[in-house]
Amino acid sequence: MTQETATPMPSELPAGNARKVFIKTYGCQMNVYDSGRMADALAADGYVSTDVMDDADLVLLNTCHIREKAAEKVYSALGRLRETKKARAAEGREFMIGVAGCVAQAEGEEISRREPAVDVVIGPQTYHRLPQALRKARGGERVVDTEYALEDKFEHLPDPTRVIGKPRNVTAFLTVQEGCDKFCTFCVVPYTRGAEVSRPLAQLLTEARRLVDSGVRELTLLGQNVNAWHGEDEAGRAIGLGDLLYRLAEIPGLARLRYTTSHPRDMDDRLIEAHRDLRMLMPYLHLPVQAGSDRILKSMNRRHKAEEYIVLIERIREARPDIALSGDFIVGFPGETDEDFEATMDLVRRVNYAQAYSFKYSSRPGTPGADLPDHVDEEVKTERLARLQSLLLEQQQAFSRSMIGQTMDLLLEKPGRMPGQLIGRSPWLQSVNVDAMSSQIGDIIQVRITAAGPNSLFAEVAEG
Ligand code: 5AD
Ligand code: SF4
């Protein structure tokens, strides 16, 4: 879940002395989507993207605030950028530094105070104003724009498929919902991303159709709490994520749908029906539970019991028997005893995850969890995390091994390392290497899995 990526962006334009931007993305897939849209906004303003930081005139850090270490990483990156800025100033060359994303939202002015080399601080709700902010900064002003914008940023961003020079990917993210009203007591998202807001149906259908017209075959719907998405259809009827999936499934040329991240409380009947009815809705669901002890779930304000989660998983598996589960876990939440932790281990054994992310609890100032008594010792957290991760790894490896000999569809996404080799995704989001001389990126081909490596699978083209 937390990865760092240099966002793939519009490729070089033959524009002689155009300014260059390097965007570094921290954290979740929402940030990956946002980085792409920021690149669009900047491209419309004449910037070209580079994946070489040393070539850039503007470095933008799109930050994550979910755990403490994430914010510290940003400050140390800023320290290094300050040195680059000094060196560039000595050469008389422009070098601007921008901080976007959730650390920008949460820390605001504090970032400029702590690191005066930063030119622009811009929150996740206002990044459509990035070009104006940069112009102001170039005039010598230090800009901090972390207001919740009244206008809809999506209406003010350039159409993602119209940005010149943008490489056509066969998979794309589509943010359908932002923010969260759940207020889990460990989580900063309701404070950094604000209240839950759903994008309207018509806007989403238009963006999805354009993406498909530009070559996209797989769409992943994104939201901090994606299954809380709600809207109205053309007849004014209230609809939810399940209905949205049925509507998207009608788009000609679209082959696959996914969505992430979900809350167990918002897995309604219609969404489960979508898993039953829509073959193109991939059989892979990221449904975080965080902990297996009812006492801890209550203290986390998750608003469901462990058994309710298990029953929900059973219902989903009944609707789509080949579905694979993924989850998030936190160990060492305040007050977590050995017995509570064992309840998490039990739940993991019962569910059997194909994939999972697990973290030590990180106290976030301003969240209710930070004020709870009985914070757990760091060594205890470390030991619990190691035990949990070894169980999860065992399950993940068993899942990968169970693929050997199976025939499945593969959506080819990019060239592999060897000539003639391509890399695709299985329905279960696994990366698969295949020798497929006569196939092209964007094709969906039938393959047979021949071997399982630690991070990817190997396959041959299936006969007939
Ligand atoms: N400490 C540790 N992990 C956290 N997460 C969210 N907040 C915290 C925190 N304070 C984890 C949760 C969430 C994932 C995105 O990050 O598991 O689902
Ligand atoms: Fe955070 Fe909970 Fe909302 Fe997920 S559901 S974003 S963990 S508050």
Side-chain angles (χ1 to χ4, degrees):
M1 171 132 305
T2 45
Q3 79 262 86
E4 282 168 36
T5 31
T7 302
M9 274 177 300
S11 52
E12 301 288 284
L13 293 177
N17 48 6
R19 290 194 167 95
K20 290 188 180 156
V21 56
F22 174 90
I23 305 186
K24 184 163 172 99
T25 308
Y26 298 82
C28 66
Q29 287 149 327
M30 299 280 292
N31 269 10
V32 175
Y33 175 87
D34 288 348
S35 290
R37 301 304 302 262
M38 284 191 266
D40 296 346
L42 291 170
D45 210 43
Y47 271 92
V48 295
S49 295
T50 174
D51 48 16
V52 184
M53 195 185 293
D54 286 341
D55 288 348
D57 307 289
L58 164 66
V59 171
L60 204 54
L61 305 181
N62 190 12
T63 61
C64 169
H65 200 237
I66 201 96
R67 280 168 293 276
E68 197 179 351
K69 267 215 286 236
E72 284 313 311
K73 266 193 204 165
V74 171
Y75 281 112
S76 54
L78 287 176
R80 290 191 296 274
L81 291 173
R82 184 203 324 129
E83 295 309 311
T84 311
K85 191 169 187 165
K86 268 194 216 152
R88 288 287 183 87
E91 295 166 20
R93 227 179 114 189
E94 176 180 292
F95 186 72
M96 297 181 88
I97 305 173
V99 181
C102 294
V103 176
Q105 187 64 40
E107 309 247 311
E109 299 276 353
E110 176 63 19
I111 297 181
S112 303
R113 252 194 304 275
R114 206 167 140 181
E115 191 45 83
V118 171
D119 300 283
V120 170
V121 176
I122 199 150
Q125 303 309 329
T126 44
Y127 62 71
H128 55 293
R129 299 187 198 143
L130 196 50
Q132 293 100 295
L134 289 168
R135 273 194 287 278
K136 278 194 206 159
R138 218 167 273 127
E141 203 179 314
R142 227 182 275 142
V143 187
V144 177
D145 186 357
T146 54
E147 293 291 302
Y148 285 102
L150 289 173
E151 72 270 19
D152 177 354
K153 72 170 175 250
F154 295 108
E155 294 287 358
H156 288 77
L157 286 164
D159 169 1
T161 61
R162 300 275 154 91
V163 180
I164 321 152
K166 185 146 178 152
R168 288 168 183 212
N169 287 335
V170 294
T171 62
F173 291 137
L174 174 58
T175 292
V176 302
Q177 174 280 338
E178 287 189 291
C180 183
D181 293 342
K182 290 281 187 292
F183 289 94
C184 300
T185 55
F186 51 80
C187 186
V188 289
V189 166
Y191 311 96
T192 53
R193 289 275 177 162
E196 202 179 283
V197 179
S198 293
R199 293 179 67 189
L201 175 69
Q203 203 185 61
L204 295 174
L205 292 176
T206 304
E207 190 169 326
R209 281 194 204 103
R210 284 185 182 151
L211 288 166
V212 174
D213 287 348
S214 76
V216 167
R217 307 223 55 207
E218 175 180 302
L219 268 184
T220 300
L221 311 187
L222 295 181
Q224 265 91 25
N225 196 7
V226 71
N227 58 351
W229 182 87
H230 57 279
E232 265 186 11
D233 68 8
E234 293 77 358
R237 200 175 57 101
I239 56 172
L241 187 71
D243 302 286
L244 175 62
L245 288 163
Y246 281 94
R247 292 294 300 272
L248 291 167
E250 290 167 4
I251 297 178
L254 184 61
R256 289 178 162 191
L257 280 166
R258 305 179 185 276
Y259 61 92
T260 195
T261 287
S262 300
H263 191 290
R265 287 277 302 218
D266 292 324
M267 287 301 301
D268 62 17
D269 293 351
R270 185 70 173 148
L271 188 49
I272 297 175
E273 278 166 26
H275 279 284
R276 182 196 63 199
D277 296 343
L278 301 175
R279 285 293 100 185
M280 66 191 287
L281 179 56
M282 291 293 99
Y284 180 89
L285 176 64
H286 183 64
L287 193 62
V289 65
Q290 314 294 356
S293 145
D294 286 341
R295 214 173 59 80
I296 296 298
L297 286 170
K298 189 160 199 290
S299 176
M300 286 177 164
N301 192 31
R302 292 291 291 179
R303 291 184 274 179
H304 64 79
K305 298 209 155 93
E307 198 55 35
E308 287 164 339
Y309 178 81
I310 302 269
V311 169
L312 177 62
I313 300 277
E314 281 166 4
R315 287 184 54 217
I316 298 166
R317 280 186 165 144
E318 224 167 88
R320 182 83 202 233
D322 61 345
I323 203 158
L325 268 300
S326 155
D328 290 345
F329 297 89
I330 295 177
V331 302
F333 188 74
E336 186 186 74
T337 61
D338 284 340
E339 202 184 341
D340 292 320
F341 174 66
E342 290 308 327
T344 299
M345 295 290 278
D346 280 345
L347 179 138
V348 170
R349 284 186 205 101
R350 287 179 72 189
V351 173
N352 193 12
Y353 288 89
Q355 168 73 271
Y357 305 91
S358 47
F359 315 97
K360 286 191 240 182
Y361 172 68
S362 162
S363 181
R364 309 309 284 128
T367 61
D371 300 327
L372 287 173
D374 303 324
H375 279 252
V376 174
D377 284 349
E378 208 49 37
E379 307 85 83
V380 175
K381 287 188 200 171
T382 304
E383 187 264 333
R384 286 181 188 163
L385 186 66
R387 281 188 55 208
L388 175 62
Q389 289 189 335
S390 96
L391 176 60
L392 289 167
L393 184 65
E394 241 172 66
Q395 296 188 344
Q396 185 194 322
Q397 287 172 343
F399 181 71
S400 286
R401 279 195 306 271
S402 74
M403 295 285 140
I404 298 172
Q406 280 199 45
T407 302
M408 64 185 67
D409 285 343
L410 199 64
L411 171 57
L412 298 173
E413 286 185 11
K414 55 184 180 193
R417 246 182 275 153
M418 303 298 178
Q421 202 178 59
L422 291 168
I423 300 177
R425 292 260 170 204
S426 79
W428 300 279
L429 212 54
Q430 296 143 308
S431 185
V432 182
N433 298 273
V434 63
D435 286 319
M437 285 293 202
S438 52
S439 303
Q440 287 182 9
I441 289 169
D443 288 351
I444 294 182
I445 60 168
Q446 279 254 304
V447 301
R448 189 172 310 100
I449 303 298
T450 51
N455 300 311
S456 57
L457 300 174
F458 298 87
E460 60 192 15
V461 177
E463 303 291 313

